[in-house]
Amino acid sequence: MQLYLMRHGNAEAGTRHRPDAERALTPEGHALVKQQARAIAQTHPPWGSVVSSTYLRAQQTRDLMARAVGLKTYQDAVLRPGCSLDDLEEVLCGFEAPPLVVFHQPSIGQIVYELTGGRVAVSPGTLIHIDVIQWRKNGGMLAAVYPPAVLAAFGSAL
């Protein structure tokens, strides 16, 4: 199975007056994800839909990606910060074709480590591709890590 994980774009700072789940993308985060989505749309990505957590910043990232590629969107509360490998597997079993999964750190980094044994930097907007052989520790191979600046630069050149 090909697994594509993406961390949401840059988000507003948290405050005591706004719950974490309501933090939106910053204007810069929105612009960067839009550039990334434009670039990805040119590659005809292999996923069949885009699923995100229920957090606003992940939903906004999901919507920008899905709109650029013309895919359906879904959300799942299981993809909250703290989501585990078992949680992710549970979410994905409901999809016929693997979706792009947009959610949070440190969950993404932990899942990448569990599946591949690799540690990667997962800044906002990073896209990660894993070839999953088995849903267990070291059951996958890290195929690619696309930092946001790389995708954004490619997107602005189109």
Side-chain angles (χ1 to χ4, degrees):
M1 170 185 194
Q2 301 301 306
L3 176 62
Y4 291 86
L5 308 175
M6 184 174 193
R7 184 174 177 195
H8 60 76
N10 286 317
E12 300 169 334
T15 69
R16 62 185 174 147
H17 302 293
R18 180 184 324 132
D20 186 43
E22 294 178 9
R23 291 174 43 218
L25 293 178
T26 62
E28 297 80 16
H30 185 276
L32 184 64
V33 171
K34 195 170 183 178
Q35 282 184 313
Q36 291 174 290
R38 185 173 163 205
I40 289 170
Q42 300 299 315
T43 68
H44 307 289
W47 49 79
S49 58
V50 185
V51 61
S52 75
S53 81
T54 56
Y55 284 44
L56 179 59
R57 58 193 178 274
Q59 291 175 351
Q60 291 172 320
T61 301
R62 172 203 68 204
D63 291 346
L64 288 167
M65 299 302 289
R67 202 172 305 129
V69 184
L71 297 174
K72 289 183 178 181
T73 63
Y74 302 91
Q75 65 183 15
D76 196 312
V78 172
L79 296 171
R80 71 206 173 286
C83 173
S84 70
L85 180 60
D86 290 339
D87 293 334
L88 180 60
E89 182 182 18
E90 177 185 316
V91 169
L92 294 178
C93 74
F95 289 89
E96 190 172 306
L100 169 63
V101 184
V102 179
F103 62 127
H104 310 273
Q105 268 294 79
S107 301
I108 294 173
Q110 184 61 38
I111 288 168
V112 169
Y113 178 73
E114 286 182 47
L115 277 175
T116 70
R119 295 204 184 272
V120 296
V122 188
S123 59
T126 298
L127 176 66
I128 298 170
H129 175 196
I130 300 172
D131 185 14
V132 178
I133 312 314
Q134 296 179 342
W135 284 95
R136 62 175 175 79
K137 187 172 179 148
N138 297 320
M141 293 176 40
L142 186 61
V145 177
Y146 301 98
V150 171
L151 288 178
F154 178 64
S156 64
L158 297 174

